[in-house]
Structures are given as structure tokens and as C-alpha cells.
Amino acid sequence: MKEISLNILDIAKNSTKAGATLVKISLEEDDSTLTLVIEDDGCGMDEETVKGVCDPFYTTRSTRKVGMGIPLLKLSCEQTGGRFRIESRDKETYPDAHVTKTSAIFYKNHIDFTPLGDVVFTVVTLIQGDPNIDFLFSHKTPKGEVGLDTRDLRAQLGDIPLNEPEILTWISDFLKEQYEELT
């Protein structure tokens, strides 16, 4: 993928398809690294599935025989000298503590570092596509932090769906304003 934000979109969509009600997306940057963590409370995966998801020819889809999202994220971070990790506890074995957590560390000054891309568009697209799922987004940089928690929005908006055009525009503007304050 040409941008890390597209990896975020792909992995977070996997979370929503796995029945997650909360998807946490965390980016943390320092001068040399970018760490991405995506955690969800979906159905989780058993140990055998976790071992298979890094194989591009492993997929649970019936529409095609390959699943490239996780293998491409893994390759992307490892090409920079970084590390990739996926941990999961499945709902069947851990009914009260099921979780999937995907972590990738990228070295930003490496020639193969993939740009972050339009993370605001990614977050808005996730909310638009799955308005009933909560997303907790945070991006910490040396200059400050950008964040959004849809649970806070729901508390303020009541029954107004998050995928209403005016709400999506507000979310986009809210995130862009936070990023502008960091420059």
C-alpha cells in the first residue's frame, strides 16, 4: 500500500467485520519512529489463525483466495528495520477478555518508510462506513496530540447518527484543526 493510512483503513475494517464495538487506533511518533497500534474488541482469533494471518495466501474471505492487508503492513514496517506483532484472544476461549492487537513500528528515516498519508480521511471513512461502531483515535507527536473519541460525540449528539454529512464534515474539520495546531 502506498500510505500507512490505507493499512489503517484495511486493518480497522477487519476489526469491524470481526464484530468489534470499539476500535482503538493509536499513532505515536518520536524523531525516529512511528508506532501504529490497532486494538479491537471483536471476536478475536485462535492461535492457529494468528499464525496464518501473516501469510498472504491465508484468508477467511470466500470472495478471493488471498488476504494482503496484514502481510503488506508487516512487510512495510519490516522493510524499515521495524517490528510487527499481532496478538489475539478469541471470544470462545476468552468470553470476557477477547481482543486483537496489531502493532507495527516503522523507522521514519529509512528509505523504504511509507508516508502516513491522509489519516483524517481514513478516520472519517471508517466512521462513515460503520457509524454504530466506536472509534478511539489518537496521534501523539513531539509537537502535541490529535485525538477523537466517538463515544464523546455520541454523548453530545444523542440519537443523531455519526454518518450524517454535517457530522462527518465536523469530524474532518475538528481533526484537521488539531493537526494544523501542531505545525
Side-chain angles (χ1 to χ4, degrees):
M1 293 192 193
K2 295 181 180 184
E3 299 175 343
I4 295 171
S5 62
L6 297 175
N7 291 112
I8 294 169
L9 182 62
D10 182 67
I11 304 303
K13 281 303 291 177
N14 288 347
S15 297
T16 64
K17 289 176 185 173
T21 59
L22 175 63
V23 180
K24 299 175 185 176
I25 302 166
S26 168
L27 294 163
E28 191 163 336
E29 290 187 65
D30 60 28
D31 291 336
S32 62
T33 62
L34 169 69
T35 301
L36 165 65
V37 177
I38 301 174
E39 184 176 330
D40 70 65
D41 64 355
C43 64
M45 296 177 280
D46 60 32
E47 286 182 41
E48 192 66 30
T49 304
V50 170
K51 290 177 187 173
V53 295
C54 291
D55 178 353
F57 298 103
Y58 177 89
T59 184
T60 58
R61 293 181 181 179
S62 57
T63 56
R64 63 181 189 215
K65 295 183 177 165
V66 294
M68 296 300 290
I70 290 175
L72 286 175
L73 176 61
K74 182 178 187 290
L75 176 66
S76 182
C77 75
E78 289 177 348
Q79 282 182 324
T80 71
R83 295 180 307 280
F84 176 84
R85 185 171 183 183
I86 187 162
E87 307 165 79
S88 191
R89 292 190 303 246
D90 65 286
K91 192 173 186 174
E92 187 174 308
T93 309
Y94 303 93
D96 298 323
H98 49 95
V99 64
T100 298
K101 182 177 179 181
T102 305
S103 307
I105 299 172
F106 301 85
Y107 284 92
K108 299 188 315 186
N109 54 0
H110 193 281
I111 193 168
D112 291 323
F113 176 66
T114 306
L116 179 57
D118 192 347
V119 74
V120 171
F121 179 78
T122 294
V123 171
V124 171
T125 299
L126 287 166
I127 294 168
Q128 180 180 14
D130 290 293
N132 296 320
I133 294 174
D134 282 312
F135 294 92
L136 174 60
F137 171 74
S138 115
H139 185 175
K140 295 178 184 173
T141 74
K143 294 181 179 181
E145 185 173 352
V146 174
L148 176 79
D149 189 336
T150 59
R151 295 171 295 187
D152 295 338
L153 293 176
R154 286 183 209 290
Q156 295 295 318
L157 296 171
D159 292 337
I160 300 171
L162 296 183
N163 63 350
E164 288 289 324
E166 297 86 4
I167 304 301
L168 293 170
T169 299
W170 183 89
I171 291 169
S172 178
D173 291 345
F174 177 68
L175 290 170
K176 287 177 183 176
E177 286 172 14
Q178 291 180 67
Y179 276 109
E180 286 172 9
E181 289 177 11
L182 298 181
T183 57

